[in-house]
Amino acid sequence: MASTQLTDEQLFSELKRLGFTPGPLTENTRPVYLKKLKKLREEQQQQRSRGAKGRNSGSISNNSGSGGTNGNTAAGASGFRTRAPLNAAPSPGGRRDLNEKRTDRAGKFVLGFSSDESDAEAPLKKGGPSHNGSRRDRGSGPQSRCVRPTQETPAAARRSPGAHLGLSAVRRSAFTSPWWTDQAKSDLGETQSCVAKDNDYGEPEERDDSEEETEKSSRTVNGNRASYAADASKLAGDYSDSDEEEDREGQRYRARRHLSRGEPKSASSPYRSVRESESGQEKASGIIAVNDPPGVGSLDVMGERGEDDDETSEFSGGLFNRSYPKSSSFISGVMDEKDGETSSSRPAGCSKNHVDGGDGVASRFRIGLRPRFSSCNNSLSTTYRPNHSNHTGSNHSYSQAAHKHKQAVPEDELLQQFRREEVSSTGGFSAHYLSMFLLTAACLFFVVLGLMYLRMRGSSASEGVVGKCCVSGCNSPGGDYDCLNNTEKDLILSLLLQLHDHLADIAGEHDCKDLTDPLNRSISFSEATQYLKLRNKDYENWIQSSLEWIIKTGETAGIRLIAADPTQPVEDVSEIYRLESTHPRMSFLCRFRRAFLIVIYRAILILTGIGVVWGLMCYMKYRWRREEEETRQMYDMVERIIDVLRSHNEACQDNKELQPYLPIPHVRDSLVQPQERKKMKKVWDRAVTFLSANESRIRTETQRIGGADFLVWRWLQPSMSCDKMCSIPSKVWQGKAFPLDRRNSPPNSLTPCLKIRNMFDPVMEIGENWHLAIHEAILEKCSDNDGIVHIAVDKNSREGCVYVKCLSAEHAGKAFKALHGSWFDGKLVTVKYLRLDRYHQRFPQALACSTPLKPSNSSMNTMVRLHQRSSPSSSLAFS
Amino acid sequence: MSTTSQKHRDFVAEPMGDKPVTALSGIGEALGKKLEEQGFDKAFVVLGQFLLLRKDRELFAEWLKDASGANARQAGACSQCLQEWCDAFL
């Protein structure tokens, strides 16, 4: 082409002629505009050659939209034509983006801030239902959005005056192929806006968020066939900064699922833009055979896939175009049936079609397809049936099938998620039981073990001992028993055994009955002999010898021999005064009880010890904190005193009549409120001593004032200029960065809750009560607005977030205007709206707040700078 | 997956001041170098180019692709970033 020989002016005028308003032509922009010129020329040719094909008109719509964005209002009509073949270029998408941006400015800014970790909306894992619901809403969402602009926003170029005309025309006219070519423009104008809206879903998540919310609101609107007004109000109420990431994931997920079902039909894809190149094969399948009834699924694929990318804008346009030729019959059916419904249903259909991210167009004609619009789809499909005659039965049935399939898809997801939860819950259930069972088994085991041990200990002790005696009997050093015969040994042993048992019983009784009389634990020698004689007459002779044997062998045999003097060991049988068992036999219960009691006592002891230690630590902590607090108060007081003195000194400089010193009690009384004086006495005294010891700029002296002697403070430091500079107040409002207009802020306030960002830096803040300063600052900035009822500073947020709840949305709007874009403490503050219910979720204490908050004192400390300045400090905006 | 990256969010959150061109979303080291060679060493210079093109995202993306060899995604991200910045601060 001869474009290289064009001069700048020629290029400029050429572009203008083609309906495109270029910017200044510089060396950098020249090549771009040259390319643009080439494209425009090609389009022109294409358009002329193509004539009134659907695609062109479809692209016309896109292009007209984009043309409008470029300020080509007047050239709308011509723009339509010239834009027609622009599909191949990336421009449609870009234009559309711009379009959407312009038109969606209203809602955009609210969504303008991406959510962060400290958002009121925690990134919840929404389940399937909400997920699908949100997606469902998406479909309805665009509709409302697209409706609103058509109704409310004044002439954007795109919205041709024929928009409404087109609406009605679409409704009523018979839709044959020529239909849309004629009506294309008007209809396009109307649908254009819808397209634009839907294209928005390709936009960053912020938009997705709000759109999702608007969809949600509009979903109910759709369901109820409510009026737009209700829709708008619902939109306002539902704005939130929910996490859009899950949405994205869900979209992708769905896209993939649809993709798997898509039938890759060959189709020309003249509209594939550069951006779509990334999606490669998906594109091929996506573009599809929109023209076939079975292509329904694929359309969805396209739509779905489109959602994932930012460049979905092309999609909707492309889809729109493509679907036109084939679905005319559909349209008629749809439109006709829609006639029977309220007006809102029409936009519902419109928006549904335009679904976000590009599947919109398809759905327009395949209402049942999108699971998103399942609610609307259901209603529509029910109304569909009566109008069956209007469109091919196959189409309808297929769409129904597809619709059902589509519906099944999200339900499957839902079910799967539920199943997963169920499984986990049952698993947990059984696991719980298992653990309980194991625990009880272990306990039982140990209990049984203990029982057995106790029993064995009680019973075998004596036998073991006696057994030992047996064995060693013959080898005793005593020598007396060396050649005892067995019967005698047995006798002795049995005697000892009997004795031992008896003694054990007695001792056990004694112990168990908790008698304090120690004497009863043992029995006297005579009693023992008596008992043994009772048992067996033969024992009599052997008592002595057995006891001697016990003494000699040194084996206790479970019997302790006590002499008259308890401390002396027994040497001879004659010294034996009492006998006692060393292994008292107690009933099991008794043993258990004793053991239990012992354990309890020990446990109590340990616990008491721990408790004491812990109490001590708590006390220490408390004291330490108290001290810290007091020290901080003291320093605070010291600073205030210094400030007072310094300011007094400065005042003295100006006014020579004042005395350069201040009496200490006067300072105290001016700084400390009367009701606090008693409490602060200690702090004050500490501050005074601190000042006298550590502050060199203040001198304490005695002066006579009014006849009485006062201790006074005199400020010594000569005023330095740098002193003033150093006293930059830290937390003040410093002016507005940019004026708030329609582009920067939502046109109406949406919710009564605000989230204010970038008011502080959590790592830089020190002390305990800096958040109160933030409260003060906000209240003072919005002092004209009596509607702030709750403020919450999120101390841990990285972005310095503050949450504010107002009495109503208008109050919130006023606060928004006052706060958004202002500079505070060197940081640019941004505000966005939050959903009320989410706010309450996060701050349940705000539910009850209804009294407006006021700044604590009327001295507007944080507005000092603003009041000082006479001119707005907009220069700070771009520092 | 979020459509806008952290870089984007960081850029759009505050006035760009003197940020280098690599602070733009979509512009990494390699692209940044190429742009710097052409004289676009700061983000505001690229902003200037964006404004010269009358804030037309598509045109700007085209230009960026030509000027630095960016691919479609990068150019799109950059243009989106700049557009949002303009919406917020311009």
PDB file of all heavy atoms in Angstrom, chain A residues 9 15 20 58 60 97 115 122 176 230 308 328 334 353 369 376 417 435 437 500 503 550 569 629 659 674 793:
ATOM      1  N   GLU A   9      -0.301  14.231   7.997  1.00  0.00           N
ATOM      2  CA  GLU A   9      -1.640  14.806   7.843  1.00  0.00           C
ATOM      3  C   GLU A   9      -2.527  13.900   7.027  1.00  0.00           C
ATOM      4  O   GLU A   9      -3.707  13.718   7.322  1.00  0.00           O
ATOM      5  CB  GLU A   9      -1.585  16.178   7.163  1.00  0.00           C
ATOM      6  CG  GLU A   9      -0.938  17.254   8.006  1.00  0.00           C
ATOM      7  CD  GLU A   9       0.561  17.307   7.764  1.00  0.00           C
ATOM      8  OE1 GLU A   9       1.014  16.749   6.742  1.00  0.00           O
ATOM      9  OE2 GLU A   9       1.268  17.886   8.592  1.00  0.00           O
ATOM     10  N   LEU A  15      -7.534   8.338   8.443  1.00  0.00           N
ATOM     11  CA  LEU A  15      -8.117   7.651   9.595  1.00  0.00           C
ATOM     12  C   LEU A  15      -9.424   8.314   9.994  1.00  0.00           C
ATOM     13  O   LEU A  15     -10.398   7.649  10.337  1.00  0.00           O
ATOM     14  CB  LEU A  15      -7.127   7.668  10.773  1.00  0.00           C
ATOM     15  CG  LEU A  15      -5.959   6.704  10.640  1.00  0.00           C
ATOM     16  CD1 LEU A  15      -4.915   6.994  11.686  1.00  0.00           C
ATOM     17  CD2 LEU A  15      -6.441   5.286  10.777  1.00  0.00           C
ATOM     18  N   PHE A  20     -12.295   6.807  12.427  1.00  0.00           N
ATOM     19  CA  PHE A  20     -11.493   6.547  13.601  1.00  0.00           C
ATOM     20  C   PHE A  20     -10.761   7.818  14.002  1.00  0.00           C
ATOM     21  O   PHE A  20     -10.134   8.461  13.183  1.00  0.00           O
ATOM     22  CB  PHE A  20     -10.507   5.429  13.273  1.00  0.00           C
ATOM     23  CG  PHE A  20      -9.524   5.185  14.354  1.00  0.00           C
ATOM     24  CD1 PHE A  20      -9.929   4.723  15.582  1.00  0.00           C
ATOM     25  CD2 PHE A  20      -8.178   5.434  14.146  1.00  0.00           C
ATOM     26  CE1 PHE A  20      -9.028   4.502  16.580  1.00  0.00           C
ATOM     27  CE2 PHE A  20      -7.272   5.203  15.139  1.00  0.00           C
ATOM     28  CZ  PHE A  20      -7.690   4.740  16.352  1.00  0.00           C
ATOM     29  N   GLY A  58     -23.068  -8.589  12.821  1.00  0.00           N
ATOM     30  CA  GLY A  58     -22.643  -8.877  14.187  1.00  0.00           C
ATOM     31  C   GLY A  58     -21.400  -8.096  14.537  1.00  0.00           C
ATOM     32  O   GLY A  58     -21.304  -7.447  15.562  1.00  0.00           O
ATOM     33  N   ILE A  60     -20.528  -5.581  13.144  1.00  0.00           N
ATOM     34  CA  ILE A  60     -20.891  -4.170  13.141  1.00  0.00           C
ATOM     35  C   ILE A  60     -21.245  -3.755  14.559  1.00  0.00           C
ATOM     36  O   ILE A  60     -20.816  -2.736  15.056  1.00  0.00           O
ATOM     37  CB  ILE A  60     -22.101  -3.902  12.224  1.00  0.00           C
ATOM     38  CG1 ILE A  60     -21.679  -3.939  10.760  1.00  0.00           C
ATOM     39  CG2 ILE A  60     -22.707  -2.552  12.555  1.00  0.00           C
ATOM     40  CD1 ILE A  60     -22.825  -3.815   9.818  1.00  0.00           C
ATOM     41  N   ASP A  97     -13.737  -3.825  25.033  1.00  0.00           N
ATOM     42  CA  ASP A  97     -13.273  -3.602  26.403  1.00  0.00           C
ATOM     43  C   ASP A  97     -13.482  -2.169  26.791  1.00  0.00           C
ATOM     44  O   ASP A  97     -13.990  -1.843  27.836  1.00  0.00           O
ATOM     45  CB  ASP A  97     -11.787  -3.930  26.511  1.00  0.00           C
ATOM     46  CG  ASP A  97     -11.578  -5.416  26.462  1.00  0.00           C
ATOM     47  OD1 ASP A  97     -12.583  -6.150  26.551  1.00  0.00           O
ATOM     48  OD2 ASP A  97     -10.441  -5.822  26.329  1.00  0.00           O
ATOM     49  N   SER A 115      -9.752  -7.668  45.947  1.00  0.00           N
ATOM     50  CA  SER A 115      -9.819  -8.071  47.348  1.00  0.00           C
ATOM     51  C   SER A 115      -8.443  -8.492  47.826  1.00  0.00           C
ATOM     52  O   SER A 115      -7.615  -8.919  47.052  1.00  0.00           O
ATOM     53  CB  SER A 115     -10.780  -9.208  47.507  1.00  0.00           C
ATOM     54  OG  SER A 115     -10.431 -10.238  46.607  1.00  0.00           O
ATOM     55  N   ALA A 122     -13.925 -13.315  53.437  1.00  0.00           N
ATOM     56  CA  ALA A 122     -12.864 -14.309  53.500  1.00  0.00           C
ATOM     57  C   ALA A 122     -13.022 -15.226  52.315  1.00  0.00           C
ATOM     58  O   ALA A 122     -14.133 -15.535  51.935  1.00  0.00           O
ATOM     59  CB  ALA A 122     -12.980 -15.107  54.796  1.00  0.00           C
ATOM     60  N   THR A 176     -36.762 -13.639  10.344  1.00  0.00           N
ATOM     61  CA  THR A 176     -36.187 -14.468   9.303  1.00  0.00           C
ATOM     62  C   THR A 176     -34.787 -13.989   9.064  1.00  0.00           C
ATOM     63  O   THR A 176     -34.345 -13.045   9.681  1.00  0.00           O
ATOM     64  CB  THR A 176     -37.018 -14.347   8.025  1.00  0.00           C
ATOM     65  OG1 THR A 176     -37.050 -12.962   7.667  1.00  0.00           O
ATOM     66  CG2 THR A 176     -38.438 -14.821   8.300  1.00  0.00           C
ATOM     67  N   ALA A 230     -36.319  -2.597  41.459  1.00  0.00           N
ATOM     68  CA  ALA A 230     -35.947  -3.562  42.497  1.00  0.00           C
ATOM     69  C   ALA A 230     -34.571  -4.105  42.208  1.00  0.00           C
ATOM     70  O   ALA A 230     -33.759  -4.292  43.087  1.00  0.00           O
ATOM     71  CB  ALA A 230     -36.974  -4.683  42.544  1.00  0.00           C
ATOM     72  N   ASP A 308     -12.723 -17.725  30.732  1.00  0.00           N
ATOM     73  CA  ASP A 308     -11.451 -17.850  31.409  1.00  0.00           C
ATOM     74  C   ASP A 308     -10.494 -16.758  31.023  1.00  0.00           C
ATOM     75  O   ASP A 308      -9.637 -16.375  31.772  1.00  0.00           O
ATOM     76  CB  ASP A 308     -10.789 -19.192  31.058  1.00  0.00           C
ATOM     77  CG  ASP A 308     -11.620 -20.303  31.644  1.00  0.00           C
ATOM     78  OD1 ASP A 308     -12.465 -19.997  32.486  1.00  0.00           O
ATOM     79  OD2 ASP A 308     -11.414 -21.451  31.240  1.00  0.00           O
ATOM     80  N   SER A 328     -32.117 -17.917  13.768  1.00  0.00           N
ATOM     81  CA  SER A 328     -33.201 -16.967  13.561  1.00  0.00           C
ATOM     82  C   SER A 328     -34.522 -17.572  13.991  1.00  0.00           C
ATOM     83  O   SER A 328     -35.359 -16.931  14.605  1.00  0.00           O
ATOM     84  CB  SER A 328     -33.257 -16.541  12.100  1.00  0.00           C
ATOM     85  OG  SER A 328     -33.196 -17.691  11.291  1.00  0.00           O
ATOM     86  N   VAL A 334     -38.186 -17.602  20.684  1.00  0.00           N
ATOM     87  CA  VAL A 334     -37.864 -16.994  21.973  1.00  0.00           C
ATOM     88  C   VAL A 334     -38.609 -15.701  22.147  1.00  0.00           C
ATOM     89  O   VAL A 334     -39.234 -15.443  23.158  1.00  0.00           O
ATOM     90  CB  VAL A 334     -36.355 -16.742  22.054  1.00  0.00           C
ATOM     91  CG1 VAL A 334     -36.027 -15.926  23.288  1.00  0.00           C
ATOM     92  CG2 VAL A 334     -35.640 -18.072  22.086  1.00  0.00           C
ATOM     93  N   ASN A 353     -28.410 -14.357  27.139  1.00  0.00           N
ATOM     94  CA  ASN A 353     -27.689 -14.674  25.938  1.00  0.00           C
ATOM     95  C   ASN A 353     -26.303 -14.122  26.010  1.00  0.00           C
ATOM     96  O   ASN A 353     -25.365 -14.716  25.550  1.00  0.00           O
ATOM     97  CB  ASN A 353     -28.408 -14.063  24.737  1.00  0.00           C
ATOM     98  CG  ASN A 353     -29.819 -14.555  24.708  1.00  0.00           C
ATOM     99  OD1 ASN A 353     -30.064 -15.623  25.236  1.00  0.00           O
ATOM    100  ND2 ASN A 353     -30.718 -13.795  24.144  1.00  0.00           N
ATOM    101  N   LEU A 369     -29.405 -23.775  27.757  1.00  0.00           N
ATOM    102  CA  LEU A 369     -28.070 -24.307  27.803  1.00  0.00           C
ATOM    103  C   LEU A 369     -27.308 -23.953  29.049  1.00  0.00           C
ATOM    104  O   LEU A 369     -26.738 -24.786  29.696  1.00  0.00           O
ATOM    105  CB  LEU A 369     -27.277 -23.804  26.605  1.00  0.00           C
ATOM    106  CG  LEU A 369     -27.688 -24.506  25.329  1.00  0.00           C
ATOM    107  CD1 LEU A 369     -26.704 -24.180  24.273  1.00  0.00           C
ATOM    108  CD2 LEU A 369     -27.725 -25.985  25.594  1.00  0.00           C
ATOM    109  N   CYS A 376     -33.768 -19.028  35.181  1.00  0.00           N
ATOM    110  CA  CYS A 376     -34.524 -18.396  34.109  1.00  0.00           C
ATOM    111  C   CYS A 376     -34.824 -19.403  33.041  1.00  0.00           C
ATOM    112  O   CYS A 376     -35.890 -19.401  32.440  1.00  0.00           O
ATOM    113  CB  CYS A 376     -33.709 -17.249  33.508  1.00  0.00           C
ATOM    114  SG  CYS A 376     -33.299 -16.005  34.705  1.00  0.00           S
ATOM    115  N   GLN A 417     -19.373 -32.712  45.570  1.00  0.00           N
ATOM    116  CA  GLN A 417     -18.843 -32.034  46.736  1.00  0.00           C
ATOM    117  C   GLN A 417     -19.508 -32.537  47.993  1.00  0.00           C
ATOM    118  O   GLN A 417     -18.874 -32.742  49.005  1.00  0.00           O
ATOM    119  CB  GLN A 417     -19.050 -30.530  46.597  1.00  0.00           C
ATOM    120  CG  GLN A 417     -18.027 -29.942  45.653  1.00  0.00           C
ATOM    121  CD  GLN A 417     -18.194 -28.476  45.554  1.00  0.00           C
ATOM    122  OE1 GLN A 417     -19.282 -27.971  45.782  1.00  0.00           O
ATOM    123  NE2 GLN A 417     -17.133 -27.783  45.218  1.00  0.00           N
ATOM    124  N   SER A 435     -11.463 -44.575  67.938  1.00  0.00           N
ATOM    125  CA  SER A 435     -10.560 -44.037  68.951  1.00  0.00           C
ATOM    126  C   SER A 435     -11.131 -44.267  70.348  1.00  0.00           C
ATOM    127  O   SER A 435     -10.397 -44.623  71.284  1.00  0.00           O
ATOM    128  CB  SER A 435     -10.332 -42.555  68.700  1.00  0.00           C
ATOM    129  OG  SER A 435     -11.531 -41.851  68.868  1.00  0.00           O
ATOM    130  N   PHE A 437     -13.055 -46.623  71.258  1.00  0.00           N
ATOM    131  CA  PHE A 437     -12.932 -48.050  71.566  1.00  0.00           C
ATOM    132  C   PHE A 437     -11.516 -48.372  72.023  1.00  0.00           C
ATOM    133  O   PHE A 437     -11.306 -49.073  73.034  1.00  0.00           O
ATOM    134  CB  PHE A 437     -13.310 -48.864  70.329  1.00  0.00           C
ATOM    135  CG  PHE A 437     -12.981 -50.314  70.458  1.00  0.00           C
ATOM    136  CD1 PHE A 437     -13.674 -51.129  71.334  1.00  0.00           C
ATOM    137  CD2 PHE A 437     -11.956 -50.870  69.705  1.00  0.00           C
ATOM    138  CE1 PHE A 437     -13.375 -52.458  71.447  1.00  0.00           C
ATOM    139  CE2 PHE A 437     -11.657 -52.207  69.813  1.00  0.00           C
ATOM    140  CZ  PHE A 437     -12.356 -53.016  70.687  1.00  0.00           C
ATOM    141  N   HIS A 500       1.396 -65.943 109.942  1.00  0.00           N
ATOM    142  CA  HIS A 500       1.494 -64.828 109.003  1.00  0.00           C
ATOM    143  C   HIS A 500       0.118 -64.397 108.509  1.00  0.00           C
ATOM    144  O   HIS A 500      -0.217 -63.206 108.454  1.00  0.00           O
ATOM    145  CB  HIS A 500       2.373 -65.249 107.823  1.00  0.00           C
ATOM    146  CG  HIS A 500       2.405 -64.207 106.756  1.00  0.00           C
ATOM    147  ND1 HIS A 500       1.570 -64.217 105.660  1.00  0.00           N
ATOM    148  CD2 HIS A 500       3.162 -63.105 106.652  1.00  0.00           C
ATOM    149  CE1 HIS A 500       1.827 -63.186 104.904  1.00  0.00           C
ATOM    150  NE2 HIS A 500       2.791 -62.475 105.464  1.00  0.00           N
ATOM    151  N   LEU A 503      -1.733 -62.596 111.235  1.00  0.00           N
ATOM    152  CA  LEU A 503      -1.236 -61.239 111.435  1.00  0.00           C
ATOM    153  C   LEU A 503      -1.635 -60.334 110.276  1.00  0.00           C
ATOM    154  O   LEU A 503      -2.005 -59.170 110.454  1.00  0.00           O
ATOM    155  CB  LEU A 503       0.294 -61.271 111.561  1.00  0.00           C
ATOM    156  CG  LEU A 503       0.812 -61.857 112.869  1.00  0.00           C
ATOM    157  CD1 LEU A 503       2.326 -62.017 112.792  1.00  0.00           C
ATOM    158  CD2 LEU A 503       0.438 -60.965 114.029  1.00  0.00           C
ATOM    159  N   ILE A 550      13.126 -67.493 112.709  1.00  0.00           N
ATOM    160  CA  ILE A 550      12.912 -66.219 112.018  1.00  0.00           C
ATOM    161  C   ILE A 550      14.005 -65.239 112.404  1.00  0.00           C
ATOM    162  O   ILE A 550      14.606 -64.569 111.580  1.00  0.00           O
ATOM    163  CB  ILE A 550      11.522 -65.634 112.348  1.00  0.00           C
ATOM    164  CG1 ILE A 550      10.420 -66.446 111.649  1.00  0.00           C
ATOM    165  CG2 ILE A 550      11.459 -64.183 111.869  1.00  0.00           C
ATOM    166  CD1 ILE A 550       9.041 -65.999 112.013  1.00  0.00           C
ATOM    167  N   PRO A 569      16.101 -53.896 117.841  1.00  0.00           N
ATOM    168  CA  PRO A 569      15.811 -55.126 117.118  1.00  0.00           C
ATOM    169  C   PRO A 569      15.738 -56.316 118.092  1.00  0.00           C
ATOM    170  O   PRO A 569      16.340 -56.300 119.155  1.00  0.00           O
ATOM    171  CB  PRO A 569      17.017 -55.263 116.166  1.00  0.00           C
ATOM    172  CG  PRO A 569      18.105 -54.490 116.795  1.00  0.00           C
ATOM    173  CD  PRO A 569      17.473 -53.417 117.617  1.00  0.00           C
ATOM    174  N   GLU A 629       2.311   0.094  81.252  1.00  0.00           N
ATOM    175  CA  GLU A 629       1.246   1.053  80.997  1.00  0.00           C
ATOM    176  C   GLU A 629       1.529   2.359  81.709  1.00  0.00           C
ATOM    177  O   GLU A 629       1.380   3.445  81.154  1.00  0.00           O
ATOM    178  CB  GLU A 629      -0.078   0.443  81.480  1.00  0.00           C
ATOM    179  CG  GLU A 629      -1.259   1.356  81.359  1.00  0.00           C
ATOM    180  CD  GLU A 629      -1.695   1.547  79.930  1.00  0.00           C
ATOM    181  OE1 GLU A 629      -1.376   0.675  79.105  1.00  0.00           O
ATOM    182  OE2 GLU A 629      -2.324   2.565  79.628  1.00  0.00           O
ATOM    183  N   GLN A 659       4.367  35.660  81.529  1.00  0.00           N
ATOM    184  CA  GLN A 659       5.538  35.200  82.237  1.00  0.00           C
ATOM    185  C   GLN A 659       6.101  33.977  81.509  1.00  0.00           C
ATOM    186  O   GLN A 659       5.355  33.118  81.070  1.00  0.00           O
ATOM    187  CB  GLN A 659       5.155  34.785  83.666  1.00  0.00           C
ATOM    188  CG  GLN A 659       4.575  35.912  84.486  1.00  0.00           C
ATOM    189  CD  GLN A 659       5.654  36.919  84.803  1.00  0.00           C
ATOM    190  OE1 GLN A 659       6.848  36.635  84.666  1.00  0.00           O
ATOM    191  NE2 GLN A 659       5.224  38.110  85.211  1.00  0.00           N
ATOM    192  N   PRO A 674     -10.316  16.983  85.823  1.00  0.00           N
ATOM    193  CA  PRO A 674     -10.529  16.894  87.276  1.00  0.00           C
ATOM    194  C   PRO A 674     -10.875  15.491  87.740  1.00  0.00           C
ATOM    195  O   PRO A 674     -10.418  15.043  88.783  1.00  0.00           O
ATOM    196  CB  PRO A 674     -11.700  17.849  87.535  1.00  0.00           C
ATOM    197  CG  PRO A 674     -11.691  18.793  86.392  1.00  0.00           C
ATOM    198  CD  PRO A 674     -11.060  18.104  85.240  1.00  0.00           C
ATOM    199  N   VAL A 793     -10.757  -0.919  63.104  1.00  0.00           N
ATOM    200  CA  VAL A 793      -9.438  -0.861  62.484  1.00  0.00           C
ATOM    201  C   VAL A 793      -8.861  -2.271  62.495  1.00  0.00           C
ATOM    202  O   VAL A 793      -8.763  -2.888  63.559  1.00  0.00           O
ATOM    203  CB  VAL A 793      -8.527   0.093  63.265  1.00  0.00           C
ATOM    204  CG1 VAL A 793      -7.116   0.021  62.741  1.00  0.00           C
ATOM    205  CG2 VAL A 793      -9.055   1.506  63.189  1.00  0.00           C
TER     206      VAL A 793
END
